[in-house]
Amino acid sequence: MSNYWVKVLVAYIPTLILVFVYIWLTGFREALASSAYRDILINYTVGYLAVSIIGWIKNRIKNRSLDRI
């Protein structure tokens, strides 16, 4: 596992916990769907993974252009 993916994982876990806490707090004000936590997990993970892959590709392209100089 490269250093980039370790950074992604280290950032993902606390932010996901914050998202779950926010949804839990929202549950006190209004009713949540029975699948709210599962839906948040899936949507957040897919979005986070997509942004992380785009960042990884960007870093790979940048590093390749720096190697050619």
Side-chain angles (χ1 to χ4, degrees), residues 1 4-9 11-13 15-16 40-58:
M1 190 184 287
Y4 179 81
W5 293 110
V6 171
K7 289 179 187 178
V8 167
L9 188 62
Y12 172 78
I13 292 171
T15 55
L16 182 63
I40 291 297
L41 175 66
I42 292 169
N43 291 330
Y44 184 77
T45 301
V46 168
Y48 195 91
L49 190 59
V51 170
S52 297
I53 290 171
I54 290 169
W56 178 73
I57 291 170
K58 182 181 170 187

Side-chain angles (χ1 to χ4, degrees), residues 4-5 20 61-63:
Y4 179 81
W5 293 110
F20 279 139
I61 291 170
K62 186 174 112 179
N63 288 341

Side-chain angles (χ1 to χ4, degrees), residues 5-32:
W5 293 110
V6 171
K7 289 179 187 178
V8 167
L9 188 62
V10 166
Y12 172 78
I13 292 171
T15 55
L16 182 63
I17 291 170
L18 286 173
V19 169
F20 279 139
V21 168
Y22 177 74
I23 296 303
W24 178 70
L25 290 172
T26 302
F28 290 127
R29 289 185 313 192
E30 53 194 60
L32 298 174

Side-chain angles (χ1 to χ4, degrees), residues 3 16 19 38-39 52 59:
N3 191 24
L16 182 63
V19 169
R38 184 189 67 212
D39 294 343
S52 297
N59 281 343

